[in-house]
């Protein structure tokens, strides 16, 4: 008991009391927004802005080449220097944001929506549907996600739509399993049985009572999914399977500069930095959501 | 002390016509005299002083060829493998003339169809079998054998009909028709002589355990890792031109495959390797800055790098004005800089400058000139402009798709092609296609343009290989004429050139063929096909192959500070 008392007296003081007088700061701390979370949120806000209005942030044409200034070091003209074709690195990073975010968001939504639907069908539908869905899910789970995407791209070629489809398709089985497991629990929950006993229609019960509860953990995981998908997009472009040149993409910039680190480390560093920060920020945000959903602070 | 005589700095400073070649480390200055062509000094090809025996040389190489049978190889840039393990019938001199090697002498019949070779009688293969007329016969048969799947050697001796063993050391080759590049191609590394015993008994083993008569013997080959060779102590039949007889100086050669460009540079600079056969051009400045490293870049004979080859049978490139406009819209110097970092040399011809009978009288017609490009497109009727700034005709946007293989190392150059054409109002779309798909497209002629490459061969017959009407690829013939060009005038010139050995006849024929190609623009030549090697200064006796400009390892020796 005394040990617990110690810990409370040492670190357990309400933080607000340590900083009297700063009302705004106190509110932030009272809402338990950690500095990491705040930085992540700001970075993501900038990214979203870059995705929507790239030209405001980086007015230089990301495709404009200049063979006489290849691999120029960072300067006032080019704050992150230029690349192998003399293009502005900062501008290319900014202009690559939209496709990265859209692909990440789109693929995560695709996985979540299709996965939830199949999970509900498997959990609440007849046994034979459950069997089919789960066996397909088993097959998908036995193949590494990246391999699955590579196969899809090999068949249909690299384009935005195949990338979106491939990324959405991979990772489906996790989502299916989660929603199925939740709905199996929920179908025997007292409130669902009560609703059915009251004579509500089956589909109404599914949509009003089962789905919202079954999908909750999936929604909490959505931000993490987006982060995973964005890094998968970067991986694929790194392997040369992203959008074809000259369109800028983060993974592609990193891949090409691998051969030129000697001449221009800044291209690889900038691209790697943006990828890392993006995934890190989304993960931070996601973890915070999970924490809150679990009632922890 | 002798090093490659044409230093890079001089190479670049050389004014349009006259290049001064400087023998590094010595006061001697040789002049490479030619109004147009780059010539390298004879000392680049001949060992000048005897060296010291001993030592193990460690070399880094960019790519693994996968197999080691030269008759089954087409890989570019690694012809030194052949020189390490094998010998050829003949060897070129620095001006492209044929000199003896395993063949002491030869005669050609007046109709150009019969070649009689007098062979050396003191040559043996490392498995003990003798080199004689039968060995030559078996080798030529092996190159032609469908089972060898020869991508290059077999094609190069296509006119060869049959061989006859006149006596043990006299061999007679009969051709279907006169083919003057025959001796040139026989000097190429991929047409080397392999052990007749192995060819007869188990030819498939040659893929991984080649047996030759060369200065080194294969000790070990580990795919994707490396290979090692040991000196053959009784070797005594180098071509006399290289200025060295007897066994190689080095005891052992250790090659390792280092695909990563940056790693190739760092591992050379750190001393992990003494030599690299593939300097990444982007490391040029860093290597130049290091006083104990020597770097040389050399132009290879044949066809220079052409990033874009037009399909002249399909719109929009069936219109010669559009092809010319594209050629003139490309900033050749810019692309050369992007790919070569100051090491590469731009060229506006379909033959490289070092190739025999190079003639650049009409090269100016392909020079970078955006006004000329605009005028040509206007003339071709592409006078409208759409919202994105691209030219239009009757509401159609001017543009084309170019198929590039997914592994294209030249992506930055193609991106520059695309950017230059965008300025000219032409929309070029880059399609990355898998290599198998590219092969199918080639065979079916189903493309508007293809990303081209280089074609290295030691004769101006490169023009025949790349642009003769008979070389259009199809399902049964893997031809190199991806431009699908079939011009009667050009075909006739190239056919005639294959009939003659007379320089007085060949010079005007090849000059006319080059002029005709520049007129037809089946592709756009941008920069020379160059090999760049670098090594530590302790190494002496580095000389180059007259056919391939790749290094010869048998004359290399360690100077004072043996690493």
């Amino acid at each position: 008991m005394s040990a617990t008392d110690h810990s409370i007296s040492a670190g357990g003081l309400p933080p607000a009391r340590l900083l009297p007088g700063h009302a705004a700061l106190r509110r932030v701390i009272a809402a338990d927004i950690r500095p990491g979370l705040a930085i992540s949120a700001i970075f993501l806000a900038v990214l979203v802005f870059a995705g929507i209005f790239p030209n405001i942030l980086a007015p230089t044409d990301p495709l404009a080449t200049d063979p006489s200034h290849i691999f120029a070091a960072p300067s006032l003209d080019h704050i992150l220097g230029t690349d192998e074709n003399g293009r502005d690195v900062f501008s290319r990073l900014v202009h690559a944001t939209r496709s990265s975010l859209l692909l990440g968001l789109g693929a995560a939504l695709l996985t979540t929506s299709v996965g939830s639907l199949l999970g509900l069908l498997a959990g609440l539908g007849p046994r034979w549907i459950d069997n089919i869905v789960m066996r397909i899910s088993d097959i998908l789970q036995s193949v590494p996600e990246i391999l699955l995407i590579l196969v899809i791209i090999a068949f249909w070629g690299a384009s935005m739509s195949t990338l979106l489809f491939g990324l959405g398709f991979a990772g489906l089985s996790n989502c299916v399993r989660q929603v199925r497991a939740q709905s199996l629990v929920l179908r025997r929950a007292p409130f669902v049985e009560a609703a059915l006993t009251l004579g509500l229609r089956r589909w109404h019960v599914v949509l009003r009572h089962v789905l919202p509860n079954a999908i909750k953990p999936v929604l909490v995981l959505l931000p993490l999914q987006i982060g995973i998908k964005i890094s998968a997009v970067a991986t694929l472009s790194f392997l040369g399977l992203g959008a074809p040149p000259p369109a800028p993409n983060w993974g592609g910039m990193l891949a090409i500069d691998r051969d030129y680190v000697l001449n221009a480390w800044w291209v690889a560093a900038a691209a790697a930095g943006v990828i890392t920060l993006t995934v890190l920020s989304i993960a931070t945000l996601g973890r915070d959501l999970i924490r809150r959903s679990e009632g922890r602070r | 002390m002798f090093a490659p005589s044409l230093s890079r700095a001089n190479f670049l400073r050389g004014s349009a016509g006259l290049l001064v070649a400087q023998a590094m480390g010595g006061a001697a200055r040789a002049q490479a005299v030619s109004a147009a062509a780059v010539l390298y000094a004879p000392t680049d090809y001949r060992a000048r002083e005897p060296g010291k025996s001993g030592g193990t040389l460690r070399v880094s190489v960019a790519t693994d060829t996968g197999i080691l049978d030269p008759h089954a190889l087409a890989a570019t840039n690694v012809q030194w493998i052949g020189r390490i393990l094998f010998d050829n019938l003949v060897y070129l001199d620095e001006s492209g003339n044929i000199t003896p090697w395993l063949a002491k002498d030869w005669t050609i019949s007046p109709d150009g169809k019969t070649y009689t070779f007098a062979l050396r009688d003191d040559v043996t293969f490392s498995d003990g079998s003798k080199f004689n007329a039968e060995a030559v016969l078996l080798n030529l048969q092996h190159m032609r054998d469908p089972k060898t799947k020869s991508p290059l050697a077999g094609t190069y001796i296509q006119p060869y009909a049959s061989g006859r063993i006149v006596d043990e050391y006299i061999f007679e080759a009969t051709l279907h028709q006169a083919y003057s590049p025959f001796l040139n191609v026989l000097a190429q590394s991929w047409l080397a002589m392999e052990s007749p015993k192995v060819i007869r008994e188990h030819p498939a083993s040659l893929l991984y355990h080649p047996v030759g008569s060369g200065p080194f013997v294969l000790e070990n080959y580990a795919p994707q890792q490396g290979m090692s060779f040991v000196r053959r102590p009784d070797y005594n039949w180098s071509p006399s031109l290289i200025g060295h007889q007897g066994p190689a100086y080095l005891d052992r050669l250790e090659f390792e495959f280092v695909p990563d460009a940056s790693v190739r540079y760092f591992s050379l600079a750190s001393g992990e390797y003494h030599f690299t056969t593939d300097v990444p051009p982007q490391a040029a400045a860093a290597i130049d800055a290091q006083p104990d490293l020597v770097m040389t870049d050399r132009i290879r004979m044949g066809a220079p790098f052409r990033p874009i080859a037009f399909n002249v049978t399909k719109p929009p490139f069936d219109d010669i004005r559009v092809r010319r406009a594209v050629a003139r819209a490309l900033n050749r110097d810019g692309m050369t800089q992007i790919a070569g970092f100051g090491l590469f040399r731009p060229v506006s011809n379909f033959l490289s400058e070092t190739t025999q009978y190079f003639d650049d009288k009409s090269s100016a017609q392909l020079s970078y000139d955006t006004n000329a490009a605009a005028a040509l497109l206007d003339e071709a009727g592409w006078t409208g402009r759409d919202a994105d700034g691209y030219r239009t005709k009757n509401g159609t946007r001017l543009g084309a798709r170019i198929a590039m293989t997914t592994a294209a190392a030249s992506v930055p150059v193609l991106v520059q092609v695309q950017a230059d054409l965008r300025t000219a109002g032409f929309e070029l779309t880059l399609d990355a296609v898998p290599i198998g798909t590219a092969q199918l497209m080639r065979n079916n002629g189903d493309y508007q343009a293809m990303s081209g490459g280089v074609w290295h061969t030691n004769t101006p017959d490169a023009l025949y290989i790349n642009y003769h009407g008979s070389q259009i690829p199809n399902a049964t013939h893997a031809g190199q004429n991806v431009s699908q060009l079939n011009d009667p005038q050009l075909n006739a010139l190239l056919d005639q050139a294959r009939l003659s050995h007379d320089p007085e006849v060949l010079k005007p024929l090849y000059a006319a063929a080059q002029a005709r190609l520049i007129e037809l623009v089946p592709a756009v030549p941008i920069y020379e096909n160059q090999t760049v090697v670098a090594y530590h200064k302790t190494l002496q006796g580095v000389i180059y192959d007259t056919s391939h400009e790749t290094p010869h390892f048998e004359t290399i020796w360690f100077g004072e500070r043996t690493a």
Side-chain angles (χ1 to χ4, degrees), chain A:
Chain A
M1 232 13 225
S2 64
T4 323
D5 287 346
H6 269 294
S7 72
I8 289 174
S9 58
L13 279 176
R17 236 187 273 168
L18 288 173
L19 293 159
H22 290 79
L25 196 60
R26 217 168 30 226
R27 267 201 301 281
V28 167
I29 293 167
D32 192 20
I33 294 176
R34 300 171 179 191
L37 184 65
I39 295 170
S40 299
I42 293 168
F43 182 75
L44 287 177
V46 173
L47 267 194
V48 170
F49 183 78
I52 302 172
F53 308 107
N55 288 321
I56 296 180
L57 215 55
T60 318
D61 181 354
L63 302 183
T65 63
D66 182 358
S68 54
H69 288 97
I70 59 173
F71 292 127
S75 66
L76 285 178
D77 286 341
H78 303 284
I79 57 168
L80 290 176
T82 64
D83 70 358
E84 72 281 0
N85 281 88
R87 297 170 295 195
D88 185 65
V89 172
F90 176 72
S91 177
R92 286 182 71 71
L93 282 178
V94 168
H95 284 260
T97 309
R98 184 182 295 172
S99 67
S100 294
L101 290 186
L102 279 181
L103 274 175
L105 191 68
L109 284 176
L110 198 67
T111 307
T112 311
S113 54
V114 176
S116 302
L117 195 68
L118 290 176
L120 273 182
L121 271 176
L124 304 176
R127 177 65 61 85
W128 63 271
I129 292 190
D130 186 24
N131 275 334
I132 293 176
V133 171
M134 290 322 285
R135 290 306 78 77
I136 293 176
S137 158
D138 284 346
I139 295 170
L140 285 182
Q141 204 149 39
S142 67
V143 183
E145 286 185 16
I146 197 86
L147 196 67
L148 198 68
I149 304 174
L150 289 181
V151 169
I152 290 170
I153 290 175
F155 268 95
W156 287 285
S159 69
M160 279 291 266
S161 47
T162 29
L163 273 177
L164 187 66
F165 176 72
L167 288 162
F169 197 60
L172 205 58
S173 60
N174 274 336
C175 186
V176 171
R177 276 162 192 277
Q178 267 179 3
V179 174
R180 175 178 173 272
Q182 286 289 327
S183 46
L184 281 180
V185 172
L186 287 166
R187 85 193 274 180
R188 278 179 204 87
F191 68 93
V192 172
E193 283 184 350
L196 286 171
T197 318
L198 285 173
L200 288 175
R201 273 187 231 148
R202 202 175 157 76
W203 61 266
H204 183 83
V205 175
V206 169
L207 289 184
R208 280 296 293 275
H209 300 292
V210 181
L211 181 64
N213 288 298
I215 209 172
K216 201 179 156 199
V218 177
L219 285 183
V220 170
L221 288 176
L222 186 66
L224 276 183
Q225 274 287 329
I226 298 173
I228 293 169
K229 300 293 183 196
I230 287 178
S231 65
V233 172
T235 309
L236 290 170
S237 348
F238 183 82
L239 295 173
L241 297 167
N249 63 68
W250 297 342
M253 291 171 77
L254 187 58
I256 289 178
D257 200 54
R258 202 174 28 154
D259 277 347
Y260 300 111
V261 273
L262 191 62
N263 312 71
W265 55 267
W266 50 87
V267 184
V274 169
I275 296 171
T276 311
L277 284 178
T278 306
V279 176
L280 206 63
S281 302
I282 293 177
T284 309
L285 210 65
R287 285 197 194 288
D288 196 70
L289 277 179
I290 294 176
R291 248 170 7 103
R292 279 158 203 271
S293 78
E294 289 169 352
R296 286 189 283 143
R297 300 218 98 206

Side-chain angles (χ1 to χ4, degrees), chain A residues 61 63-68 70-71 84-87 154 240-241 244-246 256-263, chain B residues 260-262 265-266 282-283 286 331 334-335 337-338 341 404 406 411-413 415-416 418-420 422 430 432:
Chain A
D61 181 354
L63 302 183
T65 63
D66 182 358
S68 54
I70 59 173
F71 292 127
E84 72 281 0
N85 281 88
R87 297 170 295 195
L241 297 167
I256 289 178
D257 200 54
R258 202 174 28 154
D259 277 347
Y260 300 111
V261 273
L262 191 62
N263 312 71
Chain B
D260 193 287
S262 315
Y265 162 73
F266 287 115
Q282 59 267 33
N331 178 353
M335 290 172 198
Q337 182 62 28
I338 284 172
F341 292 82
M404 59 174 196
T406 20
V411 169
V413 175
V415 164
Q416 189 56 44
Q418 189 181 43
D420 285 346
R422 185 185 176 209
L430 309 183

Side-chain angles (χ1 to χ4, degrees), chain B residues 2 47 51 242-244 248-249 540-543 552-557:
Chain B
F2 50 98
I242 71 167
H244 165 74
Y249 294 122
Q540 307 289 312
V542 180
I543 62 166
H552 262 293
F553 287 94
E554 60 180 297
T555 55
I556 296 180
W557 52 284

Side-chain angles (χ1 to χ4, degrees), chain B residues 104-261:
Chain B
K104 288 188 290 191
D105 198 12
W106 54 88
T107 55
I108 305 167
S109 66
D111 66 357
K113 289 189 190 172
T114 309
Y115 287 68
T116 311
F117 296 93
L119 308 174
R120 283 181 78 133
D121 57 7
D122 57 345
V123 177
T124 56
F125 292 89
S126 61
D127 62 354
S129 51
K130 278 185 86 159
F131 171 74
N132 53 24
E134 194 204 2
V136 180
L137 179 72
L138 285 169
N139 268 283
L140 292 176
Q141 279 171 357
H142 182 245
M143 293 174 205
R144 292 286 297 277
D145 188 342
K147 274 186 254 159
T148 310
K149 296 199 182 109
S150 174
L152 207 70
T155 320
Y156 277 176
I157 59 160
Q158 208 151 30
Y160 169 75
S162 62
R164 190 164 73 90
I165 301 167
V166 179
D167 80 32
E168 174 141 33
Y169 297 105
I170 306 248
F171 177 77
E172 187 185 275
T174 308
L175 311 183
H176 290 297
Q177 73 256 14
Y179 173 53
S180 56
F182 189 51
L183 289 175
N184 291 64
V185 298
L186 285 177
Q188 290 192 28
S189 175
W190 298 152
L191 288 90
M193 295 289 122
E194 302 185 272
S195 160
K197 185 159 170 266
V198 185
I199 292 179
R200 216 185 290 113
E201 289 167 11
H202 33 87
S205 75
L206 288 166
L207 290 176
Y208 304 104
H209 306 285
V211 176
S213 60
F216 293 88
V217 180
L218 180 71
E219 183 185 60
N220 182 44
Y221 169 52
Q224 302 304 323
Q225 291 177 42
M227 47 195 179
S228 58
F229 306 91
V230 288
R231 171 173 55 195
R232 204 179 143 188
D234 57 341
Y235 182 76
N236 195 26
W237 41 84
S238 300
S240 63
L241 192 110
I242 71 167
H244 165 74
Q245 288 298 314
Y249 294 122
L250 296 163
D251 298 332
R252 260 169 73 81
L253 303 173
E254 287 178 3
F255 287 80
E256 269 164 30
F257 305 118
V258 183
D260 193 287

